[in-house]
């Protein structure tokens, strides 16, 4: 019993540490979003994304995923593919980028709280995401014909 | 131009509380499981088994628990394990960077597939990045 109790307390202590950061962070994010900072970030990123073959429509899901997480980014990209705003190849480049670098704020905070250095938590993900996406962009042939990817556009 | 309203603060607080609750459901049980592992000696067995492999990344055998809970469950489970174990800051850093690339695979791989990138390919890319960076940091970090 004492082992379970000890683990429980350990967990609660950790949870408290995280809550002290997560709640203020969510307030800051909400304020930033309400003030249109996300669109500004998107504009700022336009040039570097051009290099890996992403136009504004392709860059948007990457920015969304980077800030809010892969689920949100995927939601946007699925919708973009369905409405023809991005090509399948672009979707592949976006998918590569956001699978490596997403939820950069939340994921970073978790380990930052535990003592890992901020720069090491963010920079390698962004750099490798960029490099891998560039490789995919250069090496993937155009994917216009359905090739068994079965992009599910029903939800 | 830049404005902060009570409504924004309230909405942010609600999101934060919701996130904290979601975390609680993972962090607390993980910490309990790891505490039981430790007390029952299972942790020692796992540690001894994985020690040689973890050495590649400059990690001790215990860190295998952190990597597995991160890869298969999520980062909060990994954080819960870190809290319940006694790793050095170097080990925490290496685990954190490795897990940044590759985590919550059971949930996120299907999401990637839905978004138009094959699961197997995304899995290889993420695990590859994770292992490569882990090895690099194990060599580079003091």
């Amino acid at each position: 019993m004492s082992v379970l109790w000890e683990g429980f307390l350990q967990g609660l202590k950790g949870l408290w540490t995280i809550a002290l950061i997560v709640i203020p962070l969510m307030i800051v994010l909400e304020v930033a979003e309400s003030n249109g900072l996300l669109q500004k970030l998107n504009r700022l990123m336009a040039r570097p994304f051009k290099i890996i073959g992403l136009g504004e429509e392709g860059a948007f899901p990457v920015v969304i995923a980077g800030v809010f997480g892969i689920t949100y980014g995927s939601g946007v990209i699925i919708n973009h593919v369905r409405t023809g705003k991005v090509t399948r190849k672009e979707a592949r480049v976006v998918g590569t980028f956001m699978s490596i670098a997403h939820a950069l704020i939340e994921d970073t905070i978790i380990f930052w709280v535990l003592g890992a250095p901020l720069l090491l938590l963010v920079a390698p993900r962004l750099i490798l995401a960029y490099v891998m996406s560039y490789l995919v962009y250069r090496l993937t042939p155009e994917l216009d014909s359905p090739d068994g990817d079965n992009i599910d556009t029903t939800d | 131009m830049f404005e902060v309203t009570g409504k924004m603060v309230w909405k942010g607080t609600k999101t934060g509380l919701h996130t904290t609750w979601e975390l609680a459901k993972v962090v607390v049980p993980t910490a309990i499981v790891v505490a039981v592992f430790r007390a029952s000696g299972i942790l020692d067995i796992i540690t001894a088994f994985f020690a040689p492999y973890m050495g590649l990344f400059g990690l001790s055998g215990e860190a295998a628990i952190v990597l597995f809970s991160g890869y298969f469950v999520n980062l909060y489970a990994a954080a819960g394990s870190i809290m319940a174990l006694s790793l050095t800051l170097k080990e925490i850093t290496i685990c954190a960077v490795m897990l940044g690339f590759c985590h919550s695979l059971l949930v996120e791989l299907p999401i990637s597939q839905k978004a138009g990138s094959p699961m197997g390919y995304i899995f290889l890319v993420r695990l590859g990045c994770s292992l490569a960076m882990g090895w690099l940091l194990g060599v580079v970090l003091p």
Side-chain angles (χ1 to χ4, degrees):
Chain A
M1 194 60 215
S2 74
V3 175
L4 297 180
W5 184 242
E6 192 190 305
F8 180 71
L9 288 182
Q10 199 108 45
L12 277 191
K13 224 171 68 187
L15 190 67
W16 177 244
T17 323
I18 297 175
L20 282 185
I21 304 220
V22 166
I23 296 172
L25 172 82
M26 290 303 171
I27 296 173
V28 171
L29 263 184
E30 181 62 39
V31 171
E33 199 196 349
S34 307
N35 283 283
L37 289 188
L38 216 59
Q39 285 88 325
K40 280 191 191 133
L41 183 67
N42 203 22
R43 244 170 282 144
L44 206 71
M45 302 298 273
R47 192 194 285 261
F49 280 135
K50 266 260 147 56
I51 299 172
I52 54 172
L54 298 180
E56 208 172 298
E57 301 290 0
F60 184 61
V62 174
V63 171
I64 293 291
V67 177
F68 296 105
I70 197 167
T71 317
Y72 300 97
S74 298
V76 176
I77 193 70
I78 289 166
N79 199 40
H80 273 19
V81 170
R82 180 170 46 201
T83 53
K85 281 181 184 160
V86 301
T87 63
R88 279 164 161 276
K89 179 170 169 177
E90 270 186 284
R92 189 68 60 84
V93 175
V94 170
T96 306
F97 197 110
M98 68 184 182
S99 74
I100 298 176
H102 58 258
L104 287 169
I105 298 173
E106 190 185 336
D107 291 0
T108 302
I109 296 285
I110 301 171
F111 292 118
W112 183 49
V113 172
L114 295 171
L118 214 49
L119 187 68
L120 268 182
L121 292 175
V122 180
R125 284 182 86 181
L126 283 177
I127 294 167
L128 277 179
Y130 197 82
V131 171
M132 294 304 294
S133 310
Y134 183 72
L135 290 178
V136 169
Y137 170 57
R138 298 310 295 246
L139 301 178
T140 315
E142 286 301 330
L143 304 162
D144 351 71
S145 59
D147 60 348
D149 284 337
N150 280 327
I151 295 183
D152 185 357
T153 53
T154 50
D155 64 16
Chain B
M1 198 65 195
F2 193 89
E3 55 165 6
V4 180
T5 63
K7 203 174 142 210
M8 293 175 198
V9 174
W10 174 231
K11 207 173 153 203
T13 309
K14 267 202 316 204
T15 316
L17 284 173
H18 182 76
T19 311
T20 306
W21 171 238
E22 292 299 317
L23 304 192
K25 291 193 285 194
V26 180
V27 172
V28 176
T30 314
I32 294 176
V33 169
V34 174
V36 171
F37 274 19
R38 183 206 288 282
S40 62
I42 295 176
L43 184 64
D44 293 328
I45 297 171
I46 296 175
T47 301
F49 183 79
F50 285 105
Y53 309 103
M54 293 296 116
L56 283 176
F57 311 110
L59 297 171
S60 63
E62 281 190 341
I65 303 270
V66 178
L67 291 186
F68 285 141
S69 44
Y71 283 164
F72 295 111
V73 187
N74 57 34
L75 291 182
Y76 294 104
S81 317
I82 289 177
M83 286 159 192
L85 297 168
S86 41
L87 302 177
T88 63
L89 187 56
K90 177 187 171 182
E91 290 181 281
I92 294 178
T93 303
I94 294 173
C95 285
V97 176
M98 290 180 81
L99 288 173
F101 287 107
C102 192
H103 55 248
S104 316
L105 291 175
L106 300 180
V107 176
E108 289 188 358
L109 284 180
I111 293 176
S112 291
Q113 172 113 356
K114 249 187 179 184
S117 302
M119 256 196 246
Y121 152 74
I122 292 289
F123 173 69
L124 287 180
V125 167
R126 297 187 70 174
L127 190 66
C129 287
S130 175
L131 298 179
M133 276 308 293
W135 174 79
L136 185 68
L137 286 181
V139 172
V140 169
L141 286 184

